[in-house]
């Protein structure tokens, strides 16, 4: 994937050398559980997941410029929230951010950059995003990024089912939201 840059972040491919930054935030209980996977119990779990990120090429490492440190991730997944919704190219954005950096607007900054990349360069027709119903931080990022509520849903992860909310951003929505900002 193309490296993306915002005022405070670099969004780039993952590297094997990112393992300790990744483990640092992914091992904290309550961070990854917000997204649907358990926190990393040990560095071997992180190593396995990092290898998957590197091999898949769909996950960005979020690097905070001022610290030159990986503080989260953002990915474009080949899934849809509603298989009956007709569009040629659809992706779902998923993300996680180290709790140390919550409340600074960093994830909204990353998601907005990812939205522009998805519509302008990947040429998606529709972007989806969702959150577990209790994840109010993610809900706020989604709303501030221009997505609109689409439906209630459920999310299954590790033999548990959670209530979830799904949001959509179409190509037309994107042009209305971003036409004066690019």
């Amino acid at each position: 994937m193309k490296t993306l840059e915002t005022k405070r972040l670099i969004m780039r491919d993952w590297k094997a050398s990112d393992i300790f930054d990744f483990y640092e935030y992914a091992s904290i209980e309550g961070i990854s559980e917000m997204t649907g996977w358990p926190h990393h119990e040990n560095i071997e779990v992180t190593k396995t997941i990092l290898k998957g990120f590197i091999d898949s090429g769909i996950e960005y490492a979020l690097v905070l410029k001022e610290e030159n440190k990986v503080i989260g991730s953002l990915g474009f997944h080949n899934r849809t929230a509603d298989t009956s919704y007709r569009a040629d190219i659809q992706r779902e954005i998923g993300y996680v951010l180290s709790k140390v950096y919550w409340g600074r607007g960093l994830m909204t900054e990353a998601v907005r950059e990812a939205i522009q990349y998805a519509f302008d360069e990947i040429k998606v027709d529709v972007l989806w995003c969702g959150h577990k119903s209790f994840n109010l931080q993610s809900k706020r990022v989604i709303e501030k990024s221009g997505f609109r509520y689409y439906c209630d849903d459920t999310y299954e992860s590790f033999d548990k089912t959670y209530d979830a909310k799904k949001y959509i951003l179409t190509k037309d929505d994107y042009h209305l939201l971003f036409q004066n900002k690019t």
Side-chain angles (χ1 to χ4, degrees):
M1 291 190 303
K2 175 184 171 183
T3 298
L4 306 176
E5 193 167 337
T6 70
K7 182 179 176 182
R8 300 178 290 172
L9 298 168
I10 296 170
M11 299 163 63
R12 60 156 171 80
D13 289 335
W14 283 90
K15 302 175 189 175
S17 59
D18 295 328
I19 191 164
F20 297 108
D21 288 349
F22 185 20
Y23 179 72
E24 183 179 321
Y25 76 80
S27 64
I28 297 171
E29 191 171 343
I31 302 296
S32 53
E33 286 87 353
M34 297 290 255
T35 64
W37 38 275
H39 64 278
H40 298 186
E41 296 278 343
N42 56 58
I43 197 93
E44 290 304 313
V45 172
T46 305
K47 185 178 182 179
T48 300
I49 294 172
L50 179 59
K51 182 181 181 330
F53 283 176
I54 292 169
D55 291 348
S56 75
I58 62 169
E59 287 284 335
Y60 277 111
L62 300 181
V63 180
L64 184 63
K65 289 180 184 179
E66 71 183 40
E67 296 179 22
N68 193 29
K69 179 178 184 159
V70 176
I71 61 167
S73 67
L74 183 146
F76 292 105
H77 305 275
N78 287 318
R79 342 182 247 261
T80 65
D82 181 349
T83 56
S84 68
Y85 193 92
R86 299 287 180 225
D88 291 332
I89 302 172
Q90 301 183 50
R91 296 289 185 276
E92 181 179 17
I93 292 180
Y95 51 82
V96 64
L97 182 67
S98 169
K99 191 173 188 173
V100 173
Y101 300 95
W102 288 3
R104 299 183 190 184
L106 290 164
M107 191 51 74
T108 301
E109 187 175 313
V111 169
R112 290 179 70 82
E113 183 67 24
I115 288 168
Q116 290 182 329
Y117 173 70
F119 283 103
D120 293 344
E121 298 197 35
I122 298 175
K123 304 295 185 193
V124 300
D125 298 301
V126 171
L127 279 177
W128 298 95
C129 201
H131 65 87
K132 292 178 182 175
S133 295
F134 61 82
N135 188 342
L136 301 181
Q137 294 92 338
S138 202
K139 176 184 179 185
R140 186 77 179 118
V141 168
I142 292 166
E143 291 173 345
K144 287 174 23 180
S145 299
F147 286 86
R148 60 185 161 85
Y149 173 78
Y150 185 77
C151 68
D152 286 343
D153 202 359
T154 56
Y155 179 80
E156 293 185 29
S157 177
F158 298 93
D159 298 326
K160 293 183 182 177
T161 301
Y162 302 92
D163 290 334
K165 306 287 183 187
K166 297 293 182 180
Y167 298 78
I168 189 170
L169 187 68
T170 66
K171 191 184 301 185
D172 290 339
D173 297 334
Y174 168 72
H175 289 299
L176 288 172
L177 287 169
F178 288 83
Q179 67 184 349
N180 296 324
K181 296 179 182 171
T182 58

